[in-house]
Amino acid sequence: MTTVPATAFPWLDLQPPALDQNGPQAVAFSHFAAERSDRSAIELLRETVRRFADRTASDDGERQLSYGDMWAGVCRLACMMDGAAGGHGPVGVLLPNDARYQIAVLACVAAGRPCVMLDRNFPADRNAEIIRDAGVGAVIASAADARDGLSLPADLNVLTIDDAVRTDMPVPALPDVAHRPDAPAFIIYTSGSTGRPKGVVLSQRA
């Protein structure tokens, strides 16, 4: 048997990049404190919003949202979700990849309802299968998509992200939901290339 020297595989000698590579030079990288992993995602978000309300949270080139704007949208959408059909079951997110996407995801967590990522580019049958398998009772979409037709199961509640980011609406308190680090936050589906898509549950801690 011929032994191949390790030097024949130079990629084995590569060192992993620094965690703050390409980050701001004036700000030192700080590790995520272990004690923070025992706090819920919404509690950590609320703390960030309190500290950086006026800073930019997301910018897609056309729309810019501050942390304060984002939090207001999360509160509105979480309350809309709380009154939607489907009890406390999962909620699908079927949105363009724009600055408002994170509001939908975080609102699901804030309402205590697992978020199921759906893809607007997938065939309608695939999204419908995921919706049925996950037990999704409501879907968050843009007003334009809802108006043009989403090819979704007829019994679904459709909530529009546009209503959540309206600045003429008051900012309600979040629904009274117990947020735990190990509570489910996301249900992400495999590609289905080797069979039916399978849902994987991720916790708030993750």
Side-chain angles (χ1 to χ4, degrees):
M1 177 174 151
T2 304
T3 301
V4 180
T7 52
F9 307 112
W11 57 85
L12 295 177
D13 294 327
L14 294 177
Q15 296 300 311
L19 292 175
D20 58 351
Q21 184 173 349
N22 299 325
Q25 298 295 317
V27 181
F29 174 79
S30 59
H31 286 272
F32 195 80
E35 61 271 15
R36 290 172 68 84
S37 67
D38 290 324
R39 298 169 63 190
S40 72
I42 290 302
E43 183 184 348
L44 294 172
L45 174 63
R46 195 196 307 264
E47 179 181 294
T48 300
V49 171
R50 188 166 51 243
R51 294 176 58 197
F52 305 118
D54 295 328
R55 294 193 186 179
T56 300
S58 61
D59 186 344
D60 60 20
E62 295 183 9
R63 182 185 287 105
Q64 188 178 82
L65 297 175
S66 69
Y67 280 98
D69 297 331
M70 182 188 67
W71 180 254
V74 167
C75 292
R76 292 189 195 102
L77 188 54
C79 288
M80 290 163 57
M81 216 176 292
D82 198 42
H88 294 286
V91 173
V93 175
L94 188 64
L95 288 170
N97 189 19
D98 63 24
R100 303 172 302 177
Y101 196 100
Q102 62 183 357
I103 290 176
V105 172
L106 292 167
C108 290
V109 177
R113 301 180 66 160
C115 172
V116 180
M117 271 69 161
L118 302 169
D119 195 318
R120 296 164 77 247
N121 298 314
F122 282 165
D125 288 349
R126 174 175 163 81
N127 279 331
E129 182 178 359
I130 290 173
I131 287 168
R132 284 192 298 271
D133 187 70
V136 168
V139 168
I140 303 165
S142 70
D145 281 350
R147 186 170 55 247
D148 295 341
L150 294 167
S151 300
L152 295 173
D155 56 343
L156 275 181
N157 233 359
V158 178
L159 309 174
T160 64
I161 191 70
D162 304 72
D163 289 335
V165 297
R166 286 177 53 184
T167 56
D168 61 331
M169 299 291 288
V171 181
L174 287 178
D176 186 16
V177 175
H179 297 105
R180 304 182 311 279
D182 291 317
F186 303 99
I187 302 175
I188 299 176
Y189 275 76
T190 60
S191 66
S193 57
T194 58
R196 292 185 60 189
K198 299 175 182 64
V200 179
V201 179
L202 302 179
S203 69
Q204 288 195 31
R205 189 188 304 277

